[in-house]
Amino acid sequence: MFRTLILLFPAALLAGCISFSSSESPAAPDYAAFCQEKDTQCRKICGNVGVQAFSCKIAPGDAFEYQCQCRKPGVPL
């Protein structure tokens, strides 16, 4: 009987002590990279004509505001 108790005690102790928790939050989106990619994309879209206006804003709560305007052909810089 004592042998059974001796074998069950460590198992019961370990069963009550083993737990797993993680305080790591998921990786936040890389907002700077998002705007950098949009800037590059806007330059590619406008090509030789050039970019007239570009804005990329990121508000709290993951709200994105993106604007890309190309210059009109034939208008000097």
Side-chain angles (χ1 to χ4, degrees):
M1 172 137 169
F2 284 113
R3 183 175 176 187
T4 306
L5 288 176
I6 291 174
L7 293 175
L8 289 178
F9 179 72
L13 182 64
L14 287 175
C17 295
I18 296 173
S19 67
F20 177 80
S21 64
S22 176
S23 60
E24 293 181 27
S25 61
D30 187 1
Y31 297 131
F34 174 81
C35 285
Q36 180 68 32
E37 290 172 10
K38 294 299 182 191
D39 180 38
T40 304
Q41 182 181 13
C42 184
R43 290 175 192 269
K44 286 180 181 177
I45 291 169
C46 292
N48 293 335
V49 176
V51 177
Q52 180 175 342
F54 172 79
S55 67
C56 183
K57 298 176 187 174
I58 301 161
D62 298 334
F64 297 97
E65 184 180 319
Y66 166 69
Q67 177 185 6
C68 175
Q69 291 180 353
C70 301
R71 296 186 187 277
K72 292 181 182 178
V75 177
L77 300 174

